[in-house]
PDB file of all heavy atoms in Angstrom:
ATOM      1  N   ILE A 633     -11.003  68.723  42.968  1.00  0.00           N
ATOM      2  CA  ILE A 633     -12.210  69.526  42.978  1.00  0.00           C
ATOM      3  C   ILE A 633     -12.024  70.751  42.079  1.00  0.00           C
ATOM      4  O   ILE A 633     -12.930  70.994  41.142  1.00  0.00           O
ATOM      5  CB  ILE A 633     -12.557  69.870  44.349  1.00  0.00           C
ATOM      6  CG1 ILE A 633     -12.955  68.709  45.376  1.00  0.00           C
ATOM      7  CG2 ILE A 633     -13.876  70.905  44.279  1.00  0.00           C
ATOM      8  CD1 ILE A 633     -13.030  69.015  46.670  1.00  0.00           C
ATOM      9  N   ALA A 634     -10.939  71.464  42.220  1.00  0.00           N
ATOM     10  CA  ALA A 634     -10.693  72.671  41.347  1.00  0.00           C
ATOM     11  C   ALA A 634     -10.596  72.286  39.968  1.00  0.00           C
ATOM     12  O   ALA A 634     -11.245  72.929  39.008  1.00  0.00           O
ATOM     13  CB  ALA A 634      -9.459  73.391  41.858  1.00  0.00           C
ATOM     14  N   GLU A 635      -9.918  71.224  39.638  1.00  0.00           N
ATOM     15  CA  GLU A 635      -9.697  70.726  38.251  1.00  0.00           C
ATOM     16  C   GLU A 635     -11.121  70.365  37.671  1.00  0.00           C
ATOM     17  O   GLU A 635     -11.524  70.817  36.544  1.00  0.00           O
ATOM     18  CB  GLU A 635      -8.798  69.595  38.093  1.00  0.00           C
ATOM     19  CG  GLU A 635      -8.518  69.169  36.739  1.00  0.00           C
ATOM     20  CD  GLU A 635      -7.595  68.022  36.623  1.00  0.00           C
ATOM     21  OE1 GLU A 635      -6.728  67.810  37.573  1.00  0.00           O
ATOM     22  OE2 GLU A 635      -7.609  67.212  35.676  1.00  0.00           O
ATOM     23  N   ARG A 636     -11.843  69.605  38.343  1.00  0.00           N
ATOM     24  CA  ARG A 636     -13.178  69.168  37.904  1.00  0.00           C
ATOM     25  C   ARG A 636     -14.087  70.360  37.628  1.00  0.00           C
ATOM     26  O   ARG A 636     -14.833  70.568  36.687  1.00  0.00           O
ATOM     27  CB  ARG A 636     -13.912  68.284  38.912  1.00  0.00           C
ATOM     28  CG  ARG A 636     -15.270  67.796  38.563  1.00  0.00           C
ATOM     29  CD  ARG A 636     -15.518  66.662  37.582  1.00  0.00           C
ATOM     30  NE  ARG A 636     -14.916  65.478  37.956  1.00  0.00           N
ATOM     31  CZ  ARG A 636     -15.442  64.257  38.345  1.00  0.00           C
ATOM     32  NH1 ARG A 636     -16.760  64.407  38.655  1.00  0.00           N
ATOM     33  NH2 ARG A 636     -14.729  63.353  38.525  1.00  0.00           N
ATOM     34  N   ALA A 637     -14.068  71.393  38.457  1.00  0.00           N
ATOM     35  CA  ALA A 637     -14.908  72.587  38.414  1.00  0.00           C
ATOM     36  C   ALA A 637     -14.288  73.640  37.290  1.00  0.00           C
ATOM     37  O   ALA A 637     -15.042  74.559  36.919  1.00  0.00           O
ATOM     38  CB  ALA A 637     -14.978  73.268  39.721  1.00  0.00           C
ATOM     39  N   GLY A 638     -13.052  73.359  36.848  1.00  0.00           N
ATOM     40  CA  GLY A 638     -12.589  74.246  35.789  1.00  0.00           C
ATOM     41  C   GLY A 638     -11.958  75.515  36.386  1.00  0.00           C
ATOM     42  O   GLY A 638     -11.959  76.520  35.693  1.00  0.00           O
ATOM     43  N   VAL A 639     -11.550  75.475  37.608  1.00  0.00           N
ATOM     44  CA  VAL A 639     -10.849  76.733  38.273  1.00  0.00           C
ATOM     45  C   VAL A 639      -9.519  76.296  38.845  1.00  0.00           C
ATOM     46  O   VAL A 639      -9.188  75.256  38.870  1.00  0.00           O
ATOM     47  CB  VAL A 639     -11.848  77.301  39.253  1.00  0.00           C
ATOM     48  CG1 VAL A 639     -13.149  77.587  38.737  1.00  0.00           C
ATOM     49  CG2 VAL A 639     -11.995  76.204  40.502  1.00  0.00           C
ATOM     50  N   THR A 640      -8.879  77.342  39.296  1.00  0.00           N
ATOM     51  CA  THR A 640      -7.546  77.064  39.909  1.00  0.00           C
ATOM     52  C   THR A 640      -7.862  76.793  41.485  1.00  0.00           C
ATOM     53  O   THR A 640      -8.923  77.022  42.022  1.00  0.00           O
ATOM     54  CB  THR A 640      -6.567  78.279  39.861  1.00  0.00           C
ATOM     55  OG1 THR A 640      -7.234  79.479  40.434  1.00  0.00           O
ATOM     56  CG2 THR A 640      -6.412  78.612  38.309  1.00  0.00           C
ATOM     57  N   LYS A 641      -6.668  76.172  42.072  1.00  0.00           N
ATOM     58  CA  LYS A 641      -6.714  76.047  43.445  1.00  0.00           C
ATOM     59  C   LYS A 641      -6.881  77.377  44.346  1.00  0.00           C
ATOM     60  O   LYS A 641      -7.561  77.354  45.279  1.00  0.00           O
ATOM     61  CB  LYS A 641      -5.545  75.298  43.924  1.00  0.00           C
ATOM     62  CG  LYS A 641      -5.548  73.831  43.817  1.00  0.00           C
ATOM     63  CD  LYS A 641      -4.304  73.102  44.388  1.00  0.00           C
ATOM     64  CE  LYS A 641      -3.872  73.285  45.808  1.00  0.00           C
ATOM     65  NZ  LYS A 641      -2.833  72.505  46.324  1.00  0.00           N
ATOM     66  N   SER A 642      -6.385  78.380  43.786  1.00  0.00           N
ATOM     67  CA  SER A 642      -6.542  79.652  44.382  1.00  0.00           C
ATOM     68  C   SER A 642      -7.977  80.178  44.379  1.00  0.00           C
ATOM     69  O   SER A 642      -8.397  80.756  45.361  1.00  0.00           O
ATOM     70  CB  SER A 642      -5.477  80.704  43.949  1.00  0.00           C
ATOM     71  OG  SER A 642      -5.682  80.993  42.515  1.00  0.00           O
ATOM     72  N   THR A 643      -8.575  79.872  43.250  1.00  0.00           N
ATOM     73  CA  THR A 643      -9.979  80.310  43.159  1.00  0.00           C
ATOM     74  C   THR A 643     -10.889  79.479  44.135  1.00  0.00           C
ATOM     75  O   THR A 643     -11.770  79.946  44.803  1.00  0.00           O
ATOM     76  CB  THR A 643     -10.482  79.980  41.822  1.00  0.00           C
ATOM     77  OG1 THR A 643      -9.824  80.884  40.859  1.00  0.00           O
ATOM     78  CG2 THR A 643     -12.067  80.240  41.580  1.00  0.00           C
ATOM     79  N   PHE A 644     -10.532  78.117  44.370  1.00  0.00           N
ATOM     80  CA  PHE A 644     -11.102  77.421  45.367  1.00  0.00           C
ATOM     81  C   PHE A 644     -10.950  78.085  46.733  1.00  0.00           C
ATOM     82  O   PHE A 644     -11.947  78.246  47.340  1.00  0.00           O
ATOM     83  CB  PHE A 644     -10.605  75.912  45.378  1.00  0.00           C
ATOM     84  CG  PHE A 644     -11.069  75.081  46.536  1.00  0.00           C
ATOM     85  CD1 PHE A 644     -12.002  74.207  46.202  1.00  0.00           C
ATOM     86  CD2 PHE A 644     -10.622  75.190  47.889  1.00  0.00           C
ATOM     87  CE1 PHE A 644     -12.710  73.465  47.292  1.00  0.00           C
ATOM     88  CE2 PHE A 644     -11.221  74.338  48.891  1.00  0.00           C
ATOM     89  CZ  PHE A 644     -12.178  73.471  48.552  1.00  0.00           C
ATOM     90  N   PHE A 645      -9.806  78.356  47.054  1.00  0.00           N
ATOM     91  CA  PHE A 645      -9.580  78.911  48.460  1.00  0.00           C
ATOM     92  C   PHE A 645     -10.207  80.394  48.579  1.00  0.00           C
ATOM     93  O   PHE A 645     -10.390  80.814  49.754  1.00  0.00           O
ATOM     94  CB  PHE A 645      -8.070  78.815  48.781  1.00  0.00           C
ATOM     95  CG  PHE A 645      -7.730  77.564  49.034  1.00  0.00           C
ATOM     96  CD1 PHE A 645      -6.741  76.884  48.272  1.00  0.00           C
ATOM     97  CD2 PHE A 645      -8.161  76.821  50.070  1.00  0.00           C
ATOM     98  CE1 PHE A 645      -6.268  75.664  48.490  1.00  0.00           C
ATOM     99  CE2 PHE A 645      -7.766  75.400  50.494  1.00  0.00           C
ATOM    100  CZ  PHE A 645      -6.894  74.840  49.533  1.00  0.00           C
ATOM    101  N   ARG A 646     -10.594  80.978  47.502  1.00  0.00           N
ATOM    102  CA  ARG A 646     -11.163  82.191  47.560  1.00  0.00           C
ATOM    103  C   ARG A 646     -12.630  82.047  48.063  1.00  0.00           C
ATOM    104  O   ARG A 646     -13.320  82.905  48.584  1.00  0.00           O
ATOM    105  CB  ARG A 646     -11.183  83.036  46.285  1.00  0.00           C
ATOM    106  CG  ARG A 646     -10.027  83.975  46.061  1.00  0.00           C
ATOM    107  CD  ARG A 646     -10.268  85.018  45.044  1.00  0.00           C
ATOM    108  NE  ARG A 646     -10.357  84.358  43.722  1.00  0.00           N
ATOM    109  CZ  ARG A 646      -9.215  84.097  43.033  1.00  0.00           C
ATOM    110  NH1 ARG A 646      -8.021  84.189  43.451  1.00  0.00           N
ATOM    111  NH2 ARG A 646      -9.297  83.531  41.833  1.00  0.00           N
ATOM    112  N   HIS A 647     -13.129  80.905  47.759  1.00  0.00           N
ATOM    113  CA  HIS A 647     -14.549  80.632  48.145  1.00  0.00           C
ATOM    114  C   HIS A 647     -14.780  79.718  49.358  1.00  0.00           C
ATOM    115  O   HIS A 647     -15.658  79.859  49.959  1.00  0.00           O
ATOM    116  CB  HIS A 647     -15.243  79.893  46.830  1.00  0.00           C
ATOM    117  CG  HIS A 647     -15.400  80.722  45.592  1.00  0.00           C
ATOM    118  ND1 HIS A 647     -16.338  81.519  45.591  1.00  0.00           N
ATOM    119  CD2 HIS A 647     -14.715  80.813  44.436  1.00  0.00           C
ATOM    120  CE1 HIS A 647     -16.330  82.208  44.339  1.00  0.00           C
ATOM    121  NE2 HIS A 647     -15.361  81.724  43.716  1.00  0.00           N
ATOM    122  N   PHE A 648     -13.776  78.760  49.556  1.00  0.00           N
ATOM    123  CA  PHE A 648     -13.825  77.921  50.646  1.00  0.00           C
ATOM    124  C   PHE A 648     -12.550  77.781  51.389  1.00  0.00           C
ATOM    125  O   PHE A 648     -11.461  77.661  50.687  1.00  0.00           O
ATOM    126  CB  PHE A 648     -14.256  76.567  50.270  1.00  0.00           C
ATOM    127  CG  PHE A 648     -15.633  76.556  49.435  1.00  0.00           C
ATOM    128  CD1 PHE A 648     -15.767  76.494  48.042  1.00  0.00           C
ATOM    129  CD2 PHE A 648     -16.899  76.643  50.208  1.00  0.00           C
ATOM    130  CE1 PHE A 648     -16.883  76.515  47.401  1.00  0.00           C
ATOM    131  CE2 PHE A 648     -18.081  76.657  49.582  1.00  0.00           C
ATOM    132  CZ  PHE A 648     -18.076  76.651  48.137  1.00  0.00           C
ATOM    133  N   PRO A 649     -12.570  77.663  52.714  1.00  0.00           N
ATOM    134  CA  PRO A 649     -11.152  77.530  53.456  1.00  0.00           C
ATOM    135  C   PRO A 649     -10.698  76.151  53.430  1.00  0.00           C
ATOM    136  O   PRO A 649      -9.524  75.956  53.452  1.00  0.00           O
ATOM    137  CB  PRO A 649     -11.599  77.950  54.824  1.00  0.00           C
ATOM    138  CG  PRO A 649     -13.122  77.757  55.069  1.00  0.00           C
ATOM    139  CD  PRO A 649     -13.695  77.968  53.698  1.00  0.00           C
ATOM    140  N   ASP A 650     -11.613  75.162  53.138  1.00  0.00           N
ATOM    141  CA  ASP A 650     -11.279  73.855  53.025  1.00  0.00           C
ATOM    142  C   ASP A 650     -12.288  73.023  52.417  1.00  0.00           C
ATOM    143  O   ASP A 650     -13.444  73.515  52.246  1.00  0.00           O
ATOM    144  CB  ASP A 650     -10.720  73.170  54.242  1.00  0.00           C
ATOM    145  CG  ASP A 650     -11.811  73.176  55.386  1.00  0.00           C
ATOM    146  OD1 ASP A 650     -13.031  72.850  55.040  1.00  0.00           O
ATOM    147  OD2 ASP A 650     -11.531  73.562  56.552  1.00  0.00           O
ATOM    148  N   LYS A 651     -12.087  71.765  51.988  1.00  0.00           N
ATOM    149  CA  LYS A 651     -13.118  71.006  51.157  1.00  0.00           C
ATOM    150  C   LYS A 651     -14.219  70.683  52.144  1.00  0.00           C
ATOM    151  O   LYS A 651     -15.345  70.417  51.626  1.00  0.00           O
ATOM    152  CB  LYS A 651     -12.501  69.673  50.693  1.00  0.00           C
ATOM    153  CG  LYS A 651     -11.918  68.668  51.650  1.00  0.00           C
ATOM    154  CD  LYS A 651     -11.412  67.377  50.874  1.00  0.00           C
ATOM    155  CE  LYS A 651     -10.969  66.446  51.943  1.00  0.00           C
ATOM    156  NZ  LYS A 651     -10.407  65.234  51.263  1.00  0.00           N
ATOM    157  N   ARG A 652     -14.064  70.600  53.485  1.00  0.00           N
ATOM    158  CA  ARG A 652     -15.214  70.285  54.430  1.00  0.00           C
ATOM    159  C   ARG A 652     -16.252  71.343  54.250  1.00  0.00           C
ATOM    160  O   ARG A 652     -17.482  71.063  54.326  1.00  0.00           O
ATOM    161  CB  ARG A 652     -14.603  70.160  55.804  1.00  0.00           C
ATOM    162  CG  ARG A 652     -15.520  69.533  56.813  1.00  0.00           C
ATOM    163  CD  ARG A 652     -14.943  69.385  58.052  1.00  0.00           C
ATOM    164  NE  ARG A 652     -14.629  70.631  58.650  1.00  0.00           N
ATOM    165  CZ  ARG A 652     -14.627  70.897  60.062  1.00  0.00           C
ATOM    166  NH1 ARG A 652     -14.881  69.769  60.892  1.00  0.00           N
ATOM    167  NH2 ARG A 652     -14.333  72.015  60.445  1.00  0.00           N
ATOM    168  N   GLU A 653     -15.881  72.616  53.995  1.00  0.00           N
ATOM    169  CA  GLU A 653     -16.764  73.740  54.071  1.00  0.00           C
ATOM    170  C   GLU A 653     -17.785  73.717  52.805  1.00  0.00           C
ATOM    171  O   GLU A 653     -18.672  74.434  52.907  1.00  0.00           O
ATOM    172  CB  GLU A 653     -16.056  74.998  54.228  1.00  0.00           C
ATOM    173  CG  GLU A 653     -15.346  75.256  55.581  1.00  0.00           C
ATOM    174  CD  GLU A 653     -16.348  74.994  56.700  1.00  0.00           C
ATOM    175  OE1 GLU A 653     -17.358  75.819  56.766  1.00  0.00           O
ATOM    176  OE2 GLU A 653     -16.020  74.242  57.551  1.00  0.00           O
ATOM    177  N   LEU A 654     -17.412  72.914  51.842  1.00  0.00           N
ATOM    178  CA  LEU A 654     -18.266  72.770  50.615  1.00  0.00           C
ATOM    179  C   LEU A 654     -19.676  72.269  51.063  1.00  0.00           C
ATOM    180  O   LEU A 654     -20.664  72.610  50.438  1.00  0.00           O
ATOM    181  CB  LEU A 654     -17.645  71.842  49.568  1.00  0.00           C
ATOM    182  CG  LEU A 654     -16.517  72.415  48.951  1.00  0.00           C
ATOM    183  CD1 LEU A 654     -15.593  71.369  48.420  1.00  0.00           C
ATOM    184  CD2 LEU A 654     -16.978  73.355  47.756  1.00  0.00           C
TER     185      LEU A 654
END
Side-chain angles (χ1 to χ4, degrees):
I633 295 167
E635 182 178 337
R636 174 83 57 104
V639 299
T640 64
K641 272 179 65 174
S642 61
T643 298
F644 175 95
F645 288 114
R646 269 197 293 279
H647 292 281
F648 301 100
D650 58 45
K651 68 180 182 177
R652 190 174 72 148
E653 293 304 304
L654 286 154

